[in-house]
Amino acid sequence: MKTIDDFAALHRADDPLVLFNVWDAGSAAAVAEAGAKAIATGSLSLAGAQGYDDGEGMPFAAVFESVRRIAATIDLPLTVDFETGYAEDEQELARNAAALLDAGAIGCNLEDRLLDSAALREPDVQARRIAAVAAQGLFVNARTDIFLGPLLAGANPDRGDLVEKAIDRAAVYREAGAGCFFVPGLRDPDLIAALCEAVSLPVNVMWLDGMDGARLARLGAARISYGPAPWQRAMTRLTEAARAAMN
């Protein structure tokens, strides 16, 4: 059984952990067969595969059951997209985190956005939430949504001022117990390199069209995740195959 320390050790800037995000036990088994070092769910993918909307539209009980089934299917560390924790209250958040651990997860993403707006939680508030989850024994990948959404980043998320704000948040989240810092939406190579250099946590970059994994490693990324892309591509191919069969 892999420990949280074993999982943390997979986050290396010279050899990043690649997470090809899955959505159910079957896709997890396929990705494990391909040679994955760890398995990660994506919230949009997990919800969409069960007919729910992203943004915690999938009930936590259903998330728990999906995580349990995935963990029972694989023999690899499993990290779960926890979104904002399915709770506003920190005690309920801690209970949900403990449930993920019991279901077989070793880590989770935890977002700093507010679900009902484009705003972010204040860093000190998010720090308490990270601490509550980390205290349950999960490896916390602290996600900042600074680079996502038009109200957060404007037309262009690749801005130096946003990187500076992200660096400040990373320092606060590290003190709270985060094990990794996730910056989805950032794609400019120079800004990624600057952020990786300035942040003392391993940095998780989300792969976007046009990105190259080897280059992201050279820029300093210690973790590369694929988000909803694998599920979206699989569903596109399924639709195309079904359409061809019916015509």
Side-chain angles (χ1 to χ4, degrees), residues 51-136:
Y52 295 101
D53 291 331
D54 195 19
E56 298 185 10
M58 187 175 181
F60 183 69
V63 173
F64 172 85
E65 182 58 24
S66 292
V67 171
R68 189 186 67 80
R69 287 299 312 137
I70 292 169
T73 302
I74 60 171
D75 187 25
L76 291 170
L78 172 62
T79 183
V80 175
D81 191 337
F82 200 22
E83 299 198 66
T84 69
Y86 295 80
E88 284 298 313
D89 178 77
E90 289 173 20
Q91 290 184 335
E92 184 181 0
L93 173 65
R95 288 193 294 271
N96 288 347
L100 284 187
L101 189 71
D102 288 344
I106 202 167
C108 69
N109 294 353
L110 188 66
E111 303 169 10
D112 59 10
R113 70 183 177 112
L114 294 165
L115 279 179
D116 58 357
S117 74
L120 302 183
R121 297 181 195 274
E122 290 299 319
D124 60 330
V125 174
Q126 184 64 8
R128 291 197 299 269
R129 295 173 66 82
I130 290 169
V133 173
Q136 305 310 307

Side-chain angles (χ1 to χ4, degrees), residues 1 22 39 43 53 59 71 79 90 94 143 166 184 213 220-221 229:
M1 178 62 117
V22 307
I39 298 296
S43 65
D53 291 331
T79 183
E90 289 173 20
R143 167 175 155 169

Side-chain angles (χ1 to χ4, degrees), residues 18-41:
V18 176
L19 296 171
F20 201 76
N21 298 74
V22 307
W23 52 92
D24 60 13
S27 58
V31 171
E33 179 65 22
K37 295 179 180 179
I39 298 296
T41 68

